[in-house]
Amino acid sequence: MQMPAPSERAVEAMHTIGDDLADRGVVRGKMFGVPSLKAGGKVLCSAWEDALVVKLPPPALTEALALSGAERFEPMAGRAMKEWAQVPYAHRKRWPALVDASLGYVSGGAR
């Protein structure tokens, strides 16, 4: 199954966030064959179509899903990933805080 290609602007915005967090162990990688950010071998987020999909602790997930156009991430229809939100590019100014929350979460301490 072919996964949708991320937009160039979503990848660029995500990579900028990752570069800013490199001193905290964030590196570029792939998830489902699309560009992602990882820390300690765990995926934090990925560019997906024209959005950022990000793994979040419950409080941050609730906040993210309240944003206009945000939704639970479903890589395949009917297969929502319970800790993941898909946040549109329109909210890209919030992406750094979401990735920071993800980093704290996957590192063992929810932020």
Side-chain angles (χ1 to χ4, degrees):
M1 182 172 132
Q2 182 75 15
M3 295 297 162
S7 70
E8 287 184 33
R9 66 184 189 168
V11 173
E12 183 178 312
M14 183 191 69
H15 281 167
T16 298
I17 295 165
D19 293 347
D20 290 345
L21 294 173
D23 63 336
R24 293 175 56 199
V26 174
V27 297
R28 295 177 185 186
K30 295 211 180 238
M31 176 177 80
F32 300 127
V34 297
S36 301
L37 297 178
K38 296 181 176 186
K42 296 179 182 179
V43 176
L44 307 173
C45 65
S46 185
W48 191 265
E49 298 175 336
D50 201 32
L52 181 77
V53 296
V54 58
K55 184 175 185 174
L56 295 167
L61 180 61
T62 299
E63 287 181 31
L65 292 174
L67 297 171
S68 175
E71 58 190 10
R72 289 201 181 266
F73 176 53
E74 290 188 14
M76 294 180 285
R79 300 239 184 215
M81 295 175 68
K82 69 177 184 170
E83 299 174 307
W84 291 78
Q86 184 170 339
V87 181
Y89 185 81
H91 298 293
R92 68 194 170 281
K93 290 184 179 178
R94 294 181 183 246
W95 290 4
L98 294 172
V99 175
D100 186 63
S102 181
L103 178 58
Y105 187 48
V106 303
S107 298
R111 289 189 166 219

